[in-house]
Amino acid sequence: MSNERLDFAVALAEKAGVLGLDYFRKLDTLTITQKGHQDLVSEADRNVETLIREELAKAYPDDAILGEEHGMEDGSSGYTWVTDPIDGTANFVTGIPQWCVIIACVYQGKVIVGVIHDPVAKETFKAAAGGGAFLNDKPIKISDSQSLSVGSVGVGFNGRTAITDAVNVVGAVVSNGGVFFRNASGGLMLAYAASGRLIGYVESHMNAWDCLAGMLLTVEAGGVVMEQDVNHALHHGARVVVGAPGVFEELRAIAESSFAPLEAA
């Protein structure tokens, strides 16, 4: 069942990416204020998510859908689709070609499908539970790094938790001989971790639509992911630590010492 849903999610993410890319290219034709750019991105976000929701409703009418722009639509099948139509809007609005479409599917508290599609680079990262992880149909695997000094660690930053969270992580990574990386798209950074481009990724809080697909990709690529209550994450988000087996415990220790307590999550 999950392979059928995976194929559908890949095709849908790529279709949504075409629409998003059309908006992205329109930014070049705008000679108006930053607000004009922001309005275009807001319109793109809404319309790309609407496209995704309409296609999902046609194909899987009994499934629930949770998206960044339009919230939760309940379903009766036990399946919940989770989507971020444009992850990396700060990049999108300024013309930086680092953003993606994210689609995941959850069933009975487990993520069974995850797709992260980068329309600009024409890269589609995909995984179904138990089926491995792929980039454009080629298998991907986590980094074999055994040390923070070999490779870069993705660090997320958000406006919902303490500002010091990210600052502390960056300091700890560098102090331990590492290098930090940030491209303002948590989805892409998780995909990069899964594919071995980064050795791990940490963020004190991510929404479900940003992280569930990437966490499945990481597991299926042989990485380690901090345990999550997926049903809780759907409504409240999650603290995210993923990494290559050789560095995960060090990354988890850095996260625990750097992040403010989780009580508000």
Side-chain angles (χ1 to χ4, degrees), residues 155-158 161-175 180 182 202-204 254-255 257-260:
V155 177
F157 179 78
N158 63 78
T161 52
I163 293 171
T164 50
D165 283 356
V167 175
N168 291 343
V169 166
V170 168
V173 167
V174 174
S175 297
F180 68 92
R182 182 173 186 266
V202 291
E203 183 165 351
S204 57
I254 284 174
S257 65
S258 299
F259 293 155

Side-chain angles (χ1 to χ4, degrees), residues 98 125 140-148 150-156 173 179-202 218 221-224 242-248 251:
Q98 289 270 289
F125 302 84
I140 54 175
K141 69 180 186 67
I142 204 80
S143 167
D144 58 7
S145 173
Q146 298 291 314
S147 166
L148 290 188
V150 181
S152 299
V153 177
V155 177
V173 167
V179 175
F180 68 92
F181 174 93
R182 182 173 186 266
N183 70 356
S185 168
L188 277 183
M189 286 187 280
L190 283 168
Y192 289 177
S195 55
R197 295 174 181 176
L198 298 174
I199 60 174
Y201 180 78
V202 291
T218 302
V224 185
V242 311
V247 299
F248 176 77
L251 288 176

Side-chain angles (χ1 to χ4, degrees), residues 47 57 61 78-79 95-96 124 160 174 187 253 261:
N47 289 348
Y79 291 92
I96 298 171
T124 303
R160 297 175 299 277
V174 174

Side-chain angles (χ1 to χ4, degrees), residues 6-7 111 164:
L6 176 63
D7 292 344
V111 186
T164 50

